[in-house]
Amino acid sequence: MMKKGKLKYRGAKRGLAVCIGASMSAMLVCGCETQQSVAENKVHVGVTYYNQSDTFLNELLECFEEDLKAYQKGGIETTVTIRDAAGAQRTQNDQVEELIDAGCDVLCVNLVDRADPSEIIDLARDHDVPIVFFNREPVAEDLLQWDKLYYVGADADQSGVFQGELASELIKNDAETDKNGDGRIQYVILEGEAGHQDAIIRTENAVETMKNNGVQLEKLSYQIANWNRAQAQNRMQQLIAQYGDGIELVLANNDDMALGAVDAYEKSGFPKEEYPAFFGIDGTNVGLQAVVDGSFSGTVYNDKEGQAAAMAELAVALATHDGLQNMEFERGKYIYLPYEKITVENVEDFLSETEPGS
Ligand code: BGC
């Protein structure tokens, strides 16, 4: 079992590079200024996220806190306050008010309802506190409401395409995937929250990519499990009751749901040889471990280190009014980190050795 904080991932190194780069440029800028203005370089970041039970976001925010700490070496004192909105937009709106009252210089918001950011935007604009939205992308019109609104995330289309490519490769290279040998792959999909940009896009792109690769598919069922392992296990148990050993492929919109599907099979009493192939998305610690131990045929890396580093760099730049010019944006406001495919062949690149002495 992996221990938190003992392993570094490929993205972490990349993230660190961004981070150190930013700290260095801050130091260079600070070097020309007086000692006093260095001391005044304090940044208070307020974060609120949709739900503290989300595995991927907890890992992302852990990286984010580390990245912010690293700015201290560059003479920027950072503090961060993190709030859990527990799935309620109303609660999140109140948290934003509270964070602004507490003197936050910049906000990082992971919306509960990505279609409902107006109250938060109004509050922030009234107090001139910039917002970096992350992971749950507001609709484009909302981001245009004010010039101090940004988004950091990843390219949802790409994650679905990569998952579809991974599944197609397996089906082509391993005849056993078509368990009943009928030339078609009977598949189910476990989907994230309805309305989340990553859910529907991942599903559509994965299926389309397999079709484009010539895979003959037979859809058995699409089930919403809200990114959640326990819900996915539950849905999968129902599907197993319905289809018996007839399921050959499980595509899940994230690793936690793919793990929930594996949990259901473990409870089902089926021998391992009769399990379907499972694919996730994220490359969370547990997801990577599932690739290592062969429970998953593959996953797609959602670069939490890269996203966290971009959020930290952007938050510090906005709060200190320095460094924005060094950052690259799409359409002036968006930063999207790329995904990467992971199988047992390259999973080691995403896990690195235990640090000596740790
Ligand atoms: C991740 C999921 C996560 C969701 C939360 C997605 O990008 O892949 O694991 O639950 O974001 O918004």
Side-chain angles (χ1 to χ4, degrees), residues 50 54 160 163 187-207 219 221-233 235-236 239 250-258 261 279-281:
Y50 88 105
D54 192 283
Q163 191 183 52
Y187 76 102
V188 304
I189 296 206
L190 294 169
E191 299 199 278
E193 290 159 276
H196 190 300
Q197 82 279 346
D198 289 338
I200 186 145
I201 294 179
R202 285 177 180 170
T203 299
E204 280 174 5
N205 281 279
V207 172
K219 167 181 163 179
S221 186
Y222 286 12
Q223 294 287 324
I224 293 179
N226 296 311
W227 308 119
N228 181 281
R229 183 168 179 163
Q231 284 187 38
Q233 178 185 329
R235 301 281 177 281
M236 203 67 224
L239 292 171
V250 177
L251 298 180
N253 286 168
N254 78 345
D255 282 353
D256 262 15
M257 294 189 293
F279 287 92
I281 292 179

Side-chain angles (χ1 to χ4, degrees), residues 286-305:
V286 272
L288 292 175
Q289 194 55 44
V291 176
V292 172
D293 71 24
S295 308
F296 288 1
S297 298
T299 188
V300 179
Y301 201 61
N302 192 355
D303 184 0
K304 57 184 179 290
E305 289 84 4

